[in-house]
């Protein structure tokens, strides 16, 4: 697991000395939950230290592009890519996703996006940029992502539960279909606080569910969370 400025998973490590946003449950949850089906190219938007891109590399044989705006996070992502066993399949672009230029089309786009709007910002500029939607709104993310999708492609996100209505509005406006939808709660006694969402360019079978990260009585990770993340966490 964590050791100083590194976080170690079963098959890779993440250096996170400079990055504002460290390895957290949201990223691990999304990377474990994403279902990659016959993908040749994957794009990770706002990769941070490269966590989601590395998880995608472990789960697939795809070529993976990653975009990151913040320079310190991008530096660490590049280090983490180069020091992984999948370095030849991982490519980093430093810059704003809104101006990201490519001739590629992607079979799956993944993102743990900045999602705090109209809320107090951290005094740490880098952390504020990573957490707040000023740098990339949900509408900008989905609109740009859709333009980069191949046929029968997917977008997978983790967002706060209060973004459910806006997410559904945007999906309708952009002619995207929500195909998987999971409400996540810290434990069975607390309200849902995150949504795991998969959107598709084509209509498909709809799946929905709930997930508790921990068990309140035992104060330990739930069996469902352990099962979902067991390919990554070293102690699961």
């Amino acid at each position: 697991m964590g050791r100083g400025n590194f976080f170690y998973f079963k098959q890779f490590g993440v250096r996170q000395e400079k990055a504002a946003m460290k390895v957290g449950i949201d990223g691990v949850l999304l990377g474990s939950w994403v279902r990659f089906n016959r993908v040749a190219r994957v794009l990770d938007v706002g990769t941070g230290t490269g966590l989601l891109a590395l998880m995608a590399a472990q789960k697939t044989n795809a070529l993976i592009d990653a975009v990151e705006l913040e320079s310190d996070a991008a530096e660490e992502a590049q280090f983490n890519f180069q020091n992984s066993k999948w370095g030849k399949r991982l490519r980093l672009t430093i810059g704003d996703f809104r101006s990201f230029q490519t001739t590629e089309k992607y079979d799956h786009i993944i993102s743990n996006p900045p999602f705090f709007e109209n809320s107090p910002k951290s005094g740490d500029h880098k952390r504020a940029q990573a957490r707040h939607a000023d740098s990339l709104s949900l509408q900008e993310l989905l609109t740009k992502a859709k333009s980069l999708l191949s046929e029968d492609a997917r977008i997978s996100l983790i967002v706060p539960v209060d973004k459910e209505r806006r997410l559904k509005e945007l999906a309708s406006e952009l002619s995207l279909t929500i195909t998987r939808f999971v409400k996540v709660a810290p434990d069975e006694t607390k309200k849902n606080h995150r949504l795991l969402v998969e959107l598709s360019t084509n209509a498909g079978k709809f799946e929905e569910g709930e997930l508790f990260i921990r068990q309140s009585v035992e104060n330990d990770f739930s069996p469902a969370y352990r099962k979902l993340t067991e390919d990554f966490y070293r102690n699961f």
Side-chain angles (χ1 to χ4, degrees):
M1 301 289 279
R3 187 182 302 166
N5 293 316
F6 281 82
F7 196 102
Y8 294 97
F9 293 92
K10 285 181 177 177
Q11 295 193 42
F12 62 89
V14 174
R15 189 179 76 180
Q16 52 181 0
E17 180 179 4
K18 297 180 180 179
M21 298 303 293
K22 311 302 184 185
V23 170
I25 284 178
D26 283 1
V28 177
L29 189 58
L30 176 60
S32 301
W33 180 80
V34 173
R35 188 179 295 161
F36 295 108
N37 295 321
R38 300 182 299 278
V39 293
R41 288 192 175 275
V42 173
L43 175 64
D44 176 16
V45 179
T47 195
T49 55
L51 172 63
L52 283 177
L54 288 161
M55 295 178 80
Q58 178 178 323
K59 293 174 75 170
T60 73
N61 292 315
L63 297 174
I64 299 161
D65 284 334
V67 181
E68 175 54 46
L69 174 62
E70 204 282 306
S71 59
D72 283 342
E75 178 186 332
E76 294 195 314
Q78 190 63 57
F79 175 89
N80 294 328
F81 291 170
Q82 292 174 345
N83 286 275
S84 75
K85 64 177 83 173
W86 313 290
K88 292 182 179 179
R89 292 195 283 119
L90 291 156
R91 180 173 62 181
L92 177 68
T93 297
I94 304 174
D96 192 327
F97 179 60
R98 292 172 293 191
S99 56
F100 176 61
Q101 298 294 321
T102 182
T103 58
E104 306 293 350
K105 292 293 184 180
Y106 297 95
D107 306 307
H108 211 127
I109 295 177
I110 53 179
S111 184
N112 177 11
F115 46 58
F116 290 98
E117 298 176 347
N118 304 317
S119 58
K121 294 185 180 181
S122 163
D124 182 333
H125 171 71
K126 292 188 297 182
R127 183 172 173 84
Q129 185 179 66
R131 287 168 60 85
H132 280 263
D134 296 9
S135 58
L136 184 67
S137 70
L138 190 56
Q139 181 175 11
E140 289 169 326
L141 170 61
L142 290 178
T143 301
K144 178 80 172 184
K146 187 189 176 184
S147 73
L148 299 175
L149 293 176
S150 63
E151 293 184 17
D152 193 22
R154 303 279 194 272
I155 301 169
S156 291
L157 311 170
I158 183 167
V159 297
V161 71
D162 64 6
K163 295 292 183 285
E164 179 177 353
R165 180 176 178 180
R166 181 60 176 148
L167 183 71
K168 289 179 175 178
E169 289 174 349
L170 288 169
S172 177
E173 291 171 11
L174 295 168
S175 298
L176 291 167
T177 301
I178 296 176
T179 46
R180 299 175 69 208
F181 190 83
V182 173
K183 293 182 178 180
V184 182
D187 64 46
E188 69 275 17
T189 69
K190 295 182 173 63
K191 294 181 178 180
N192 298 316
H193 71 310
R194 295 287 186 269
L195 299 175
L196 289 163
V197 185
E198 179 191 88
L199 304 105
S200 173
T201 52
N202 295 320
K205 181 181 178 182
F206 176 66
E207 299 178 35
E208 63 179 327
E210 292 186 330
L211 176 69
F212 304 121
I213 294 172
R214 304 185 72 89
Q215 301 176 99
S216 61
V217 176
E218 290 83 358
N219 192 29
D220 193 8
F221 290 108
S222 70
Y225 182 77
R226 285 177 173 272
K227 180 66 177 176
L228 183 65
T229 60
E230 65 182 359
D231 289 341
F232 297 97
Y233 282 135
R234 297 173 79 183
N235 59 343
F236 282 7

